[in-house]
Amino acid sequence: MSLAIVLAILAGCATPPSSIPVANRTRPATVTWGSHVVQPGETLYTIAWKYGQDFKRLASVNGIRSPYTIYPGQRLRLGGTPVVAKTVTSQSKNKTVPRASQVSSTGVKSAPNKKRSPSNKTGQYQGNTKVSWQWPVSGKLLTRFGTKGQPYKGIAIGGRIGQPVMATASGEVVYSGDGLTGYGNLVIIRHSSRYLSAYAHNKTLLVSEGDVVKAGQQIAELGSTGTNEPKLHFEIRQNGKPVDPLLFLPNR
């Protein structure tokens, strides 16, 4: 079997086994071929995240307009040329997609350990023209971007169970759940059309999809879900590509 075929099979498979830590994943940095069938609880943002793509590009090649509504069973192309955005019909507007935090692998509704803070929803978030970054948690830097002999897509910051995890910049929560294997309880925030940030392995999630948060607002409690020690796995993605967070965070 050729290497190209093996890579294509890997790209179309489900997420890697939970025993494989985030730092040791071998999926190619960006996958732009083949297709993906939407599973219950998935969003366009999480699918783009899995394949290292810009969510805007993935929406464009599938003709999906903002707010990027997708449905279980829908097949999304991972590559190709942009197509005309589809018009959402009145019938499709009534459909709902269960969040990843509500559907387990067996299809039984469940939820990760989540507390809810007061909702800050203000409608569709327009994004920032300039993002001002701050550290999401105080603690020792355990792992740097791209180290350990494998492509590590962010940084790992040590801490204690229950320690506050803060939004690194203002933005809209586009994912809050435990549906991405290897990340545990995860929050993804969209800061602008270019930047997303992610906060993994949390003990407790304090925000839900659609919440608009401010820089420095607590969004979670540090934990060890999806890993073997208390820590925060933190990523910044620029146009879908992982970038070194230390190039954006202030010196400390």
Side-chain angles (χ1 to χ4, degrees):
M1 185 179 294
S2 70
L3 178 59
I5 294 176
V6 172
L7 291 176
I9 292 174
L10 288 174
C13 290
T15 50
S18 57
S19 60
I20 302 177
V22 174
N24 295 330
R25 293 182 176 178
T26 56
R27 183 189 297 278
T30 302
V31 178
T32 56
W33 65 88
S35 62
H36 177 93
V37 176
V38 179
Q39 302 301 310
E42 290 186 321
T43 68
L44 188 80
Y45 293 97
T46 59
I47 294 170
W49 194 272
K50 288 179 182 179
Y51 296 104
Q53 289 201 29
D54 181 2
F55 68 91
K56 300 186 301 299
R57 180 188 182 280
L58 185 60
S60 178
V61 299
N62 288 280
I64 300 173
R65 292 175 174 170
S66 176
Y68 311 122
T69 303
I70 58 176
Y71 306 102
Q74 182 178 355
R75 184 176 295 275
L76 300 180
R77 296 186 303 148
L78 299 178
T81 56
V83 299
V84 177
K86 301 173 183 176
T87 301
V88 179
T89 65
S90 58
Q91 181 180 4
S92 64
K93 286 182 181 179
N94 295 324
K95 296 181 181 180
T96 58
V97 183
R99 290 178 180 168
S101 59
Q102 297 176 316
V103 182
S104 69
S105 59
T106 59
V108 179
K109 286 190 176 182
S110 60
N113 184 14
K114 177 184 287 190
K115 299 176 182 177
R116 285 291 293 114
S117 60
S119 176
N120 295 314
K121 295 179 181 178
T122 60
Q124 187 174 348
Y125 181 70
Q126 298 302 314
N128 297 312
T129 55
K130 184 177 181 180
V131 181
S132 179
W133 306 92
Q134 64 182 54
W135 283 80
V137 70
S138 60
K140 180 181 179 181
L141 184 62
L142 301 178
T143 308
R144 291 177 177 268
F145 182 83
T147 58
K148 286 191 172 181
Q150 294 280 352
Y152 194 75
K153 298 177 181 179
I155 59 175
I157 307 170
R160 64 183 187 280
I161 297 291
Q163 183 175 346
V165 175
M166 310 298 186
T168 192
S170 60
E172 178 190 12
V173 178
V174 294
Y175 181 76
S176 178
D178 59 356
L180 284 176
T181 305
Y183 285 90
N185 291 334
L186 171 70
V187 174
I188 300 177
I189 298 177
R190 177 174 69 91
H191 305 289
S192 70
S193 61
R194 299 181 65 196
Y195 291 107
L196 298 172
S197 63
Y199 314 74
H201 307 314
N202 301 290
K203 172 189 175 186
T204 306
L205 305 178
L206 303 177
V207 291
S208 293
E209 289 132 8
D211 284 353
V212 174
V213 297
K214 296 180 179 179
Q217 178 180 332
Q218 185 175 0
I219 57 173
E221 295 176 351
L222 189 144
S224 58
T225 58
T227 187
N228 56 5
E229 62 179 325
K231 65 180 177 182
L232 177 72
H233 171 81
F234 175 69
E235 293 186 31
I236 294 177
R237 295 205 180 185
Q238 180 179 355
N239 298 325
K241 304 295 191 301
V243 292
D244 187 353
L246 297 183
L247 298 178
F248 296 81
L249 298 174
N251 294 329
R252 64 174 191 178

